[in-house]
Every structure is written in C-alpha cells, then in structure tokens.
Amino acid sequence: MFKNKLIAAALGLAFAVGSAGAQAQEVYIPLISKGFQHQFWQAVKAGAEQAAKDYKVKVSFEGPETEAMVDKQIDMLSAALAKKPQAIGFAALDSKAALPLLKKAQAAKIPVIAFDSGVDSDIPATTATTDNKAAAAVAADKMAELIGKEGEVAVVAHDQTSRTAIDRRDGFLDRIKSAYPKIKVVSVQYGGGDHLKSTEVTKSILQAYPKLKGVFGTNEGSAIGVVNGVKEMKRKIIVIGYDSGKQQKDAIRDGTMAGAITQNPGGIGYKTVEAAVKAIKGEKLPKVIDTGYYWYDKSNIDDPKIASQLYD
C-alpha cells in the first residue's frame, strides 16, 4: 500500500514537472509586418491573434511606423530572431534586404512564413497572400470598362521593392498592355504608401497629363492620396483603389472612387499563424496560401460577404 502511494506520488510529481516544462516551452511566433499606419495591418493582427487563441500559441505583432522604414523592419526581424522563436512570420518591405537574416533563420531551423508580401527566395515554408497580380488585373479590367477602353491612365504605387507593390503594379500594367491596345499608361509613380506623399504625386501627374482618364492606387495610402489629389485639383477622373479603410469606403459611397479591390486581411493573419503551427509540426505546406480578394464598389459594398472583408 505504502509502495503504491510512493509510486503515485512520484508519477504525480513527474506530471507536475512535465506540465511546468510544457508551459515553459510555450510556442512563440513573432510576426513582423510592413507597418502600422494602415488599418489593414490592424485587421491582419486581429486575424493572427484569433489563430493564436485557437491554436493555443503565443504571438507578437509589430512593424515600423511607416512602410518606408526598411532598416527599422530589418532591426525588428533581427531582434525577433534573437529570441529564438519556434517559427516567425514576415511581411517584407524589401524582399532582398531581408535575405541575410532569413538565411540565419534557415540555419537555425526556424521556419519562416511569409505573409502579404513574399520574398525572392525559397526560404519561406509558404506565403499567405492575395494573388496580387490576378487582383490587379481585375482592377485594370474595371478601369478599362469605366473609361470606354481607350485613353490615358496612370498608377500611383506604394513602392518599388515589396512583392505586393511589384505584383499589383505589374498585374495592372500587363493586363492593360495585353488586352487594351487603345489605353496608354502614361505614368507610374511611387508615394511610399503614404497618403500625403501620394496626394502630391497624384497632383503632379494630373498637372502633367490634362487628358488623363483614370488612376489606380495600389494600396490604402496610395488610393487615399489619389482621391485627395483629384479633389484638390478638382478633376473628374476614374479612381480605382486597393484595400479598404474608412476614407476609401467613404470615397466609394460618395462616388469619388469608382471601386477597389479588398483583400482578406483577417484571413492573411490567421493563415500565417496556422501555417507556422503546421511548419513547427513538420507538416507539408503549399508554396502559396491564396487568401482571396473581392472587387467592391457602390453596388456591393454592403453585401455581407464583402462587408466582412472591409475595415475602418
């Protein structure tokens, strides 16, 4: 009897120690985003936090104040890797600048999950993202339809280095070039994803091209800048945006913006954490996790399926 009690006590102690060990080994997955200035990233963060609850892991979510701060993002990635996480999520501002650190993660056997913006490397286990080229091609089709398939248009993009900006710019340009011979893209400018800078860029384009019929803004800050530039110059042209946010939704409702592409930001955050958990377990992942997109305008902005993907 006494012997049995001793065995039971020993087993109980072992279980307690094992539990404490398990708690100490709580899975930690930091996510380094491209910024915090847009509501888009807050929606991605909310999705990541929901997945963390569902999968019982710990996540952190941070990014530089603006999407122009490549060096700061690299510092954040370095600091996150120094904590030796079990996996890491990364949305690259500059897909090449991060490569040395991503190689370091690979050497340390820390799975990297790219999200929103992919990297020019096979290091990430997967990329949770919108098919930005396909979505931008839809934006080009809508632009063409709304300007009568002929005339001059321009693009205000958020940068020249992130995968999202490159794919959205090229997706739009390639579709116009291949399908609409009477449309000419007269200018592609970069506003750093900042609405104030994008406003000034838009105004300079409008001054240079008095016959311009439309402008495509490739993210939230770019699109808002285009809307503000058009308003300030008192020009009536077709504006098409990307992403969401209160100002874009208001612009669509009042007719200043014809429509926009919305991603699924909550889904991007959720799928990133979910993929990280699977990578830690050694599960095989697809090269790309397509998180989806929708075209929205005044006609469907209140459709529950669309509204659930929009944010303020």
Side-chain angles (χ1 to χ4, degrees):
M1 183 80 171
F2 180 68
K3 188 180 176 183
N4 287 344
K5 280 185 178 178
L6 277 177
I7 291 169
L11 285 170
L13 180 63
F15 178 77
V17 170
S19 298
Q23 286 175 355
Q25 289 299 308
E26 181 181 31
V27 173
Y28 170 53
I29 306 163
L31 274 69
I32 310 297
S33 81
K34 288 161 71 173
F36 260 93
Q37 88 231 59
H38 302 142
Q39 288 303 309
F40 174 83
W41 293 113
Q42 298 303 317
V44 174
K45 179 174 183 257
E49 288 172 345
Q50 183 58 54
K53 280 182 191 171
D54 291 351
Y55 285 96
K56 297 179 173 54
V57 297
K58 182 185 176 187
V59 300
S60 59
F61 192 99
E62 62 178 338
E65 289 88 341
T66 78
E67 292 184 19
M69 301 171 80
V70 175
D71 290 347
K72 185 159 185 182
Q73 190 195 45
I74 296 298
D75 289 344
M76 287 177 167
L77 178 61
S78 179
L81 288 172
K83 293 176 184 174
K84 296 182 171 54
Q86 282 89 340
I88 191 163
F90 182 59
L93 278 172
D94 187 322
S95 57
K96 288 178 183 164
L99 273 180
L101 283 174
L102 296 182
K103 284 177 181 172
K104 193 175 171 183
Q106 185 181 45
K109 294 186 167 48
I110 298 170
V112 177
I113 308 299
F115 67 99
D116 179 66
S117 199
V119 233
D120 295 328
S121 162
D122 59 1
I123 292 172
T126 187
T127 301
T129 187
T130 308
D131 185 338
N132 284 293
K133 275 197 168 180
V138 170
D141 288 338
K142 295 291 183 181
M143 176 71 80
E145 182 187 318
L146 291 165
I147 67 169
K149 297 184 180 177
E150 63 178 313
E152 297 178 343
V153 298
V155 176
V156 175
H158 46 296
D159 64 63
Q160 300 180 66
T161 57
S162 74
R163 194 72 254 162
T164 55
I166 293 165
D167 286 351
R168 291 175 201 173
R169 177 197 66 196
D170 292 353
F172 184 89
L173 297 177
D174 291 349
R175 179 58 65 90
I176 293 290
K177 187 178 179 182
S178 65
Y180 306 103
K182 292 184 178 178
I183 297 177
K184 185 181 181 186
V185 180
V186 293
S187 183
V188 179
Q189 301 290 330
Y190 302 90
D194 178 78
H195 70 278
L196 295 174
K197 190 174 176 185
S198 298
T199 299
E200 294 310 310
V201 164
T202 301
K203 284 160 69 176
S204 70
I205 293 171
L206 292 172
Q207 283 172 335
Y209 299 98
K211 292 180 181 176
L212 197 74
K213 283 189 173 182
V215 181
F216 172 47
T218 64
N219 78 342
E220 185 181 343
S222 307
I224 291 165
V226 173
V227 166
N228 292 342
V230 167
K231 281 180 179 174
E232 287 181 31
M233 296 292 285
K234 295 182 170 58
R235 290 278 287 276
K236 283 195 173 181
I237 65 168
I238 299 299
V239 177
I240 287 175
Y242 207 109
D243 293 326
S244 180
K246 186 178 187 306
Q247 286 175 276
Q248 277 205 81
K249 292 198 290 186
D250 289 348
I252 286 171
R253 290 185 196 283
D254 71 20
T256 318
M257 185 181 288
I261 299 288
T262 179
Q263 302 183 78
N264 174 8
I268 290 173
Y270 193 97
K271 290 291 183 183
T272 300
V273 173
E274 182 179 69
V277 171
K278 288 180 176 179
I280 291 165
K281 290 178 180 175
E283 292 182 30
K284 191 167 173 59
L285 293 164
K287 187 175 172 57
V288 175
I289 298 169
D290 185 351
T291 50
Y293 63 87
Y294 298 97
W295 164 261
Y296 69 105
D297 56 22
K298 205 182 282 190
S299 72
N300 67 352
I301 193 169
D302 294 314
D303 181 319
K305 185 171 74 171
I306 302 292
S308 67
Q309 307 305 327
L310 306 179
Y311 48 87
D312 288 329

